[in-house]
Amino acid sequence: MSRLRRKPVVGLALGSGSARGWAHFGVLHALREAGIAPDIICGTSIGSLVGATYAAGEMDSFENWVLGLGKRKVFGFMDFNLGGGLLKGEKIIEFWRENFVQETMEELGAPFGCVATDLQTGAEVWLRKGSIAEAVRASIALPGLFTPVMHEGRLLVDGGLVNPVPVSLARAMGADIVIAVDLNADIMRRHMRQQGPRDSELRVQSREVSLSELQLEAELPVDGDGAPPQSPVAEPAGWSGKWRRSVSSVKTLSASVMRRGQKSEGDAEDDEPPRIPSLTNVLLASINIMQMRITRSRMAGDPAEVLIAPRVSHIGQMDFHQGRKSIDEGYAAAQLAMPALRGWGL
């Protein structure tokens, strides 16, 4: 007697990453365009926030709100606190609950669960029933940033401390195929690149010495092949100051590059000492590295069938106003994973 084949249960595990978590929107858009609707939604930290909104059918409205965030609006949601963490975290969660997700987990259209950490025992806590807002608030309680949450007699903090990408929770909830979104995959690449000249500085400097920009700024004509004319051109009236400043920028950058290339052992003491980051940046960077290592370890033992890893290391953990960049990176990463998804028949 032949066994009946059933449709596999698809679980989506959305990982932690603070402001980089807006990349989850891009992933969800790509999945929706491909006709892939996860049966189970799991999240850790920011992944729980986006995942709960998706499960409640409010993803589009929440994303539109995120895209309207500016630095001033982000600052307005910061309810500063003197003990347990820099922020209470109540203002943003209350706003989110009132405007987007008011249901309990039992009322959602799709099974949803999120991960938190017991601060006293270090145990991994799976939250699968009751108030969504309370569960998400516990899951995003990043140590040092948000105050811990008391939930059913347990003091809970961010789930990323123990399970940054909750593949195991998705399997426990019945998923046969798990699509995991890891926002910490390229964190080390960022730290390694910072040892050399910073890309951001080079990009800013390169804008000053771009040939096309210098020609445009000085209103010089350009030949059809993009090269400046060989004959001398008179300096337009009123532009002499701008032209000289541009040339000065070229000279300054050239001298800087030459000095970088000519450094010897004897010049080591002349190097500018590295800037010491703030306490918050040190804490956040340390959590980044820890979560990356834990993710690698846990996923080596229980790998997802499909891994989506947006390249978002250039997005800072508190850059919540950079939603567009994060979403685009998430969408691009999901597109790259489409062959793997199709390989599983999705």
Side-chain angles (χ1 to χ4, degrees):
M1 181 178 179
S2 62
R3 298 176 60 183
L4 294 176
R5 297 181 61 184
R6 65 175 177 84
K7 182 180 180 228
V9 176
V10 178
L12 180 64
L14 302 178
S16 60
S18 294
R20 296 190 294 270
W22 300 148
H24 291 315
F25 286 119
V27 171
L28 290 165
H29 275 300
L31 294 179
R32 185 164 62 185
E33 289 178 4
I36 301 172
D39 303 296
I40 294 170
I41 311 295
C42 298
T44 295
S45 195
I46 190 70
S48 69
L49 183 71
V50 176
T53 310
Y54 174 80
E58 296 289 339
M59 185 187 82
D60 292 335
S61 58
F62 185 48
E63 180 187 10
N64 288 334
W65 178 80
V66 166
L67 290 174
L69 284 176
K71 289 184 178 181
R72 181 173 297 181
K73 188 178 290 187
V74 171
F75 185 79
F77 281 104
M78 294 184 178
D79 42 4
F80 293 98
N81 183 55
L82 296 178
L86 293 176
L87 306 173
K88 293 180 182 178
E90 295 174 359
K91 186 182 290 188
I92 181 62
I93 285 296
E94 186 60 23
F95 173 85
W96 178 74
R97 185 190 65 78
E98 290 180 356
N99 291 274
F100 301 107
V101 181
Q102 300 179 3
E103 300 91 340
T104 63
M105 295 193 201
E106 293 85 350
E107 294 173 326
L108 290 176
F112 171 77
C114 61
V115 180
T117 304
D118 189 319
L119 185 61
Q120 295 173 311
T121 66
E124 179 177 340
V125 179
W126 292 348
L127 304 172
R128 298 177 53 185
K129 61 181 179 179
S131 168
I132 297 174
E134 289 182 12
V136 169
R137 171 63 183 87
S139 186
I140 68 171
L142 194 66
L145 184 61
F146 290 111
T147 56
V149 174
M150 185 62 70
H151 180 80
E152 297 181 355
R154 286 177 151 180
L155 197 59
L156 302 181
V157 293
D158 197 297
L161 299 181
V162 291
N163 195 354
V165 184
V167 174
S168 57
L169 175 55
R171 294 204 192 282
M173 293 177 65
D176 300 309
I177 298 173
V178 178
I179 304 169
V181 184
D182 180 10
L183 303 178
N184 301 306
D186 65 339
I187 291 298
M188 188 57 69
R189 180 176 64 88
R190 176 187 180 185
H191 288 286
M192 294 299 290
R193 289 171 63 187
Q194 285 182 345
Q195 293 180 5
R198 284 177 292 178
D199 288 353
S200 58
E201 292 180 354
L202 294 179
R203 281 196 296 269
V204 171
Q205 291 174 337
S206 67
R207 286 183 55 80
E208 295 181 7
V209 298
S210 168
L211 179 60
S212 60
E213 289 193 25
L214 290 180
Q215 291 164 342
L216 178 62
E217 185 176 62
E219 293 190 342
L220 296 178
V222 180
D223 290 343
D225 59 357
Q230 298 301 315
S231 58
V233 179
E235 208 175 71
W239 287 88
S240 59
K242 293 187 177 182
W243 175 250
R244 292 194 185 99
R245 285 197 296 272
S246 298
V247 173
S248 176
S249 297
V250 174
K251 292 179 179 178
T252 302
L253 178 61
S254 300
S256 175
V257 172
M258 291 297 292
R259 285 196 300 269
R260 285 184 183 274
Q262 294 175 358
K263 286 287 184 183
S264 62
E265 295 181 3
D267 296 325
E269 66 274 12
D270 296 331
D271 290 342
E272 183 179 340
R275 287 172 290 182
I276 303 300
S278 67
L279 172 62
T280 302
N281 287 336
V282 169
L283 180 62
L284 294 178
S286 300
I287 291 174
N288 272 341
I289 296 171
M290 177 197 67
Q291 291 187 352
M292 178 196 68
R293 296 295 186 184
I294 294 174
T295 301
R296 289 182 180 181
S297 177
R298 294 206 59 156
M299 294 190 70
D302 187 10
E305 278 66 36
V306 179
L307 177 63
I308 300 175
R311 297 173 68 90
V312 286
S313 65
H314 58 290
I315 306 293
Q317 281 205 326
M318 300 303 293
D319 288 345
F320 291 100
H321 60 288
Q322 301 278 11
R324 182 76 271 163
K325 292 181 181 179
S326 296
I327 292 170
D328 290 345
E329 292 290 352
Y331 184 86
Q335 292 296 330
L336 292 175
M338 283 300 160
L341 292 166
R342 297 308 182 197
W344 283 98
L346 301 179

